[in-house]
Amino acid sequence: MLRFQKTYFFIALLLFLLLVFIAMYVRDSFIRPYGGDLLVVIFLYCLIRSFFRIPVKKAVFGVLLFAFFIEGLQYLELIRRLELENNAVAVAVLGSHFEWLDLLLYSVGAILIFGFENIKKPNS
């Protein structure tokens, strides 16, 4: 089940750096709030596939469920309840507010992964 796949790891690393760049330097009303949500699902998928031999469907649905779970914690205002509003790491990891559109963007990211994986390996 464990194995290192350097292609997925390299993509995950590039996406991580891009997400950090977006979080630190992009101050717009589209890329930062929406592009990051789409990319984070792809990042997590690539990170998982870097280290685990897991079927595409299971990896995508696992990442999607995880993203939905985190968004659910935002709906429940976990950051506020734990009094972590001023903790930049907690806010970056858990997010600070719920948005229905984020669920759609996570789903679009998952669909993009399926599309890419089907182009890469048509009959698998």
Side-chain angles (χ1 to χ4, degrees), residues 18-79:
L18 180 58
L19 288 165
V20 169
F21 176 81
I22 289 170
M24 293 180 67
Y25 300 109
V26 178
R27 301 283 181 242
D28 70 344
S29 60
F30 184 75
I31 298 293
R32 182 178 169 101
Y34 304 119
D37 288 335
L38 185 136
L39 290 175
V40 77
V41 169
I42 300 170
F43 160 70
L44 290 172
Y45 171 81
C46 289
L47 188 63
I48 287 171
R49 293 292 305 255
S50 296
F51 298 103
F52 297 99
R53 182 180 303 273
I54 182 171
V56 171
K57 285 182 183 179
K58 285 185 179 182
V60 171
F61 285 122
V63 166
L64 192 57
L65 286 174
F66 178 75
F68 284 3
F69 175 74
I70 296 296
E71 197 69 25
L73 295 177
Q74 292 173 12
Y75 179 79
L76 297 172
E77 299 181 342
L78 183 66
I79 290 288

Side-chain angles (χ1 to χ4, degrees), residues 4-24:
F4 181 70
Q5 202 344 321
K6 62 183 169 188
T7 302
Y8 283 109
F9 184 78
F10 181 70
I11 295 168
L13 180 61
L14 289 176
L15 287 170
F16 176 76
L17 294 172
L18 180 58
L19 288 165
V20 169
F21 176 81
I22 289 170
M24 293 180 67

